Amino acid sequence: MSKINRYKRFLGFHHCQANVNGKIWCFWNYLDHIEVLVNSEQHITHNMKENVADSGTFITAVYAKCTTSEKRDLWDSIHNMNNTIDGPWCIGGDFNIIMDPTEKLGGNPHRAYRSLDFISTMESCGLMDIGFTGPRYTWCNNRRPSKRIWKRLDKIMINEQWAQHFQNNTVKHLVRNGSDHRPLLLKCHNDQHQHIKYFRFLNFWTTQPVFLDMVQEIWNTNIQGNAMWRLKSKLKLLAKHLSQWSRENIGDIHEQVSSWEAKVQILEEMDMQNNNEQGREELNRGYAEYARWLGMQESLMKQKAKINWFKDGDCNTSYFHSILRDRRRRLQLHRMKNHRDRWIQGEDKIAKAAVKHFKSFFNLNQQPSVSNDMLNCIPNLTTEENNERLTIMPLEEEIKDTVFSMSIESSAGPDGFNRKFFQATWDIIKQDIIEIVRDLFKGNNLTKFYSHTCNALIPKVESPSRFEELRPISLVQLH
């Protein structure tokens, strides 16, 4: 302990702790309420609290042994800890095992059975690898090139509660310096800045009694212009109206679910105490309202997670939250190379570099020039008979079948409205849609049609139809 204390003073830390065999050293500052939950030869786990009343966050430092039997003791210990830990948990260090063949370079091929105990333990404890930036491998045997082996033996994993507590978690593999292992740098924090929120149509709005009345009211608005302009203007008005209505009449879905859960518990206690018909009726109404808000929350999370194979009747909102957090984590951009092939970090620097790249790529400072002679290079790929068939004015039923053949789980268009909206409000908006599609076949506003909602109105459908054949193959001839 004297040696670790000397290093504590040399490095400038306030506190330190070593595991039972002195193989793992932990240093920290500021926090005075630290409880050692488990101290073993292969790991040490701390419960770190800001104050006595705080439930704390759990951090496990690992230094696994080499043999399979010794590592099995570590997996058993981690599994047992999972039964007692109730809170944010981060576990990291040298696990001395890889999870799949991509985490090894050189040497004999990796045998999958060696990783099964480790993988099953992490999955049963709900621990997930948060990935990394930097070099792929964290360990090297430092032998000559023909005998050299690289592996990713060092990892940092977190549970779902840690992901809820810290929105952003990044791991960076640093440069090796005098060791066969790379240091790992973990940064965890929450977003402090406000993001711009764009309109997105929520599918559960269609189940509200006043929804169709609101759409009908907007669609009765007198707007002048061509069919595309009228649709665009009405959708813009409707988006503003729906956003305001949702804020005022629905509010935060998750807060409403929590509120009604508490109300139902109170009603249950009152029903047990009073045991009368009035209490039973109020409880049943509470159950119905709670179930309604749960259904809305389930629909919202399903739509955000975009899980098409979700089965009706299953309800696991924590799973959807996990999917969303994992997607946000994978979409985070922590660094990028600029035009000088240098790594840059920081949101402002990345944003400026991205804008500069695309300005240069698309030549936005120059006036585009398009020559009609280019069209002469496009060969005639359709016969006159096929062209005449393609240009026949579509029937209302054909347009409706195309709209209703689209998946309601597909992503929304740039205006925020998805396929669910067009299907749910078809009887109200169909005349505008039909007129837009027929304008396309007449050759009117062809460019505007494709720049706005073409992908939302006429995508590829599963069943064969005339719209299946309407591809860029004949658009030039139609024009």
Side-chain angles (χ1 to χ4, degrees), residues 363-424:
N363 296 319
L364 297 181
N365 295 326
Q366 303 177 8
Q367 280 294 99
S369 59
V370 179
S371 174
N372 291 330
D373 295 337
M374 295 173 59
L375 301 180
N376 297 328
C377 301
I378 302 177
N380 189 344
L381 301 177
T382 60
T383 64
E384 288 296 328
E385 180 182 357
N386 288 337
N387 217 23
E388 289 180 4
R389 182 167 175 261
L390 287 170
T391 54
I392 296 175
M393 198 59 60
L395 301 174
E396 176 182 334
E397 195 63 28
E398 287 182 289
I399 299 173
K400 179 181 178 181
D401 290 344
T402 301
V403 172
F404 278 79
S405 67
M406 297 183 288
S407 171
I408 62 173
E409 304 298 339
S410 301
S411 299
D415 52 17
F417 288 92
N418 58 15
R419 279 70 166 166
K420 176 70 173 180
F421 167 79
F422 290 99
Q423 295 176 10

Side-chain angles (χ1 to χ4, degrees), residues 272 318 320:
M272 286 187 291
S318 62
F320 291 132

Side-chain angles (χ1 to χ4, degrees), residues 241-252:
H241 192 69
L242 285 173
S243 297
Q244 182 179 357
W245 163 78
S246 183
R247 284 194 302 268
E248 295 175 355
N249 295 274
I250 297 179
D252 190 314

Side-chain angles (χ1 to χ4, degrees), residues 449-478:
F449 180 86
Y450 270 88
S451 66
H452 184 62
T453 53
C454 176
N455 292 330
L457 299 177
I458 307 185
K460 183 176 179 180
V461 294
E462 296 179 359
S463 57
S465 69
R466 288 197 294 114
F467 297 118
E468 278 292 307
E469 303 171 36
L470 186 55
R471 295 279 176 257
I473 184 177
S474 60
L475 286 179
V476 172
Q477 299 171 22
L478 290 172

